[in-house]
Amino acid sequence: MKVGLFIPCYVDAVFPEVGMASYKLLRHLGIDVTYPKGQTCCGQPMANAGYAKDATHLAEKYNSMFDGFDYVVAPSVSCTAFIRLQYPNILRDANHKCEIASHTMDIVEFLHDVVKVKGPLGRFPHKVSLHNSCHGVRELHLSSPSEMVVPKFNKIKDLLNLVEGIEVVEPEREDECCGFGGMFSVEEVAVSKQMGEQKLMRHAATGAEYITGADCSCLMHMAGINAKERKYPDIQFKHVVEILANNL
């Protein structure tokens, strides 16, 4: 199984430790993983702003760069969902096929569904509150949505429970949006901020030392609010991959 590692632009620029932890974890599990150089933004910001056609050349580059890989794995729920669900439409309009989009996976679902990791994974003796981001719940199905009457499951929690010493909790309204929403946080600043404050409050109410999730953008939003308002100075933020790879 040949795997390509896609590191989204904001992860590369702001959270490089998440990219390094992803590579470290995949290598630890014996995965034949390659990080192709020259990667760029997937084009999600353009499409979210209503300029999907301007993302065509980025989709074409991605499709070409990862041609020949069995899977492409990324530590970003929203970018993964955009590629998998929107690239086929964008490239079809440009008369291109998109073979690799259906094989692009968030690293959580890849480890859970394809590799079927049984553990143990690292050590992290802390109480952690799990953030279930909207794209992960409702587009990639990393966990069961609370608004639907279906059996409960959570792939992120399943993986975290393989980590030695960890205590995993979830906040009240466990899959309610944190308010980031990409362009939403730019266009509706006041609403986005209030949603983030409420979500942060519910995470803090669990008594957790850390807040974790599969999308850096949600963590960045809540961490930014917390850094500015200083209401919960003891809470830290870590992407789930950093916890899974800790002490490996």
Side-chain angles (χ1 to χ4, degrees):
M1 181 169 57
K2 187 179 179 183
V3 174
L5 179 61
F6 174 58
I7 302 298
C9 53
Y10 78 103
V11 176
D12 178 58
V14 185
F15 305 101
E17 63 276 9
V18 174
M20 292 186 285
S22 300
Y23 185 81
K24 175 183 176 182
L25 180 58
L26 291 169
R27 291 280 293 178
H28 173 78
L29 294 170
I31 307 297
D32 178 14
V33 58
T34 300
Y35 173 73
K37 295 183 179 180
Q39 298 186 24
T40 62
C41 175
C42 66
Q44 181 183 189
M46 300 173 190
N48 286 350
Y51 298 95
K53 286 186 177 180
D54 290 337
T56 301
H57 69 291
L58 297 175
E60 291 170 342
K61 181 173 182 177
Y62 179 95
N63 199 36
S64 175
M65 177 175 286
F66 290 105
D67 182 44
F69 287 95
D70 298 305
Y71 294 95
V72 181
V73 175
S76 172
V77 168
S78 59
C79 296
T80 299
F82 175 70
I83 291 166
R84 198 153 81 207
L85 300 178
Q86 300 303 325
Y87 267 22
N89 297 327
I90 291 171
L91 290 176
R92 183 176 61 246
D93 290 343
N95 296 316
H96 288 289
K97 291 183 179 180
C98 189
E99 304 292 344
I100 198 61
S102 62
H103 298 286
T104 297
M105 304 185 77
D106 177 75
I107 193 167
V108 168
E109 60 176 340
F110 177 72
L111 295 177
H112 189 280
D113 297 349
V114 178
V115 180
K116 301 185 186 299
V117 178
K118 300 300 181 184
L121 285 176
R123 175 174 171 76
F124 199 73
H126 300 283
K127 188 174 185 179
V128 176
S129 186
L130 174 55
H131 181 72
N132 301 296
S133 60
C134 300
H135 288 90
V137 177
R138 295 171 182 87
E139 293 190 329
L140 297 186
H141 311 296
L142 298 187
S143 61
S144 50
S146 58
E147 70 272 12
M148 296 184 67
V149 183
V150 295
K152 290 205 69 171
F153 67 91
N154 193 308
K155 298 176 185 180
I156 307 175
K157 186 185 290 186
D158 288 346
L159 292 180
L160 286 173
N161 284 333
L162 299 177
V163 176
E164 184 181 350
I166 198 170
E167 180 185 356
V168 183
V169 295
E170 289 181 273
E172 180 188 12
R173 302 184 183 181
E174 69 273 9
D175 58 3
E176 186 175 78
C177 180
C178 70
F180 179 65
M183 291 299 296
F184 176 79
S185 64
V186 177
E187 296 170 343
E188 300 288 348
V189 177
V191 178
S192 174
K193 176 175 174 287
Q194 187 169 18
M195 291 174 70
E197 289 172 338
Q198 292 175 350
K199 191 69 182 185
L200 187 57
M201 175 188 69
R202 292 189 176 98
H203 277 299
T206 66
E209 303 165 74
Y210 288 85
I211 297 175
T212 192
D215 215 328
C216 288
S217 56
C218 298
L219 299 177
M220 176 178 65
H221 179 57
M222 291 183 287
I225 291 173
N226 199 39
K228 184 175 183 179
E229 299 184 352
R230 302 178 183 273
K231 288 184 179 179
Y232 313 104
D234 295 330
I235 289 184
Q236 300 181 60
F237 298 80
K238 275 190 181 294
H239 190 282
V240 62
V241 170
E242 295 180 90
I243 295 176
L244 298 177
N246 193 58
N247 286 350
L248 289 180

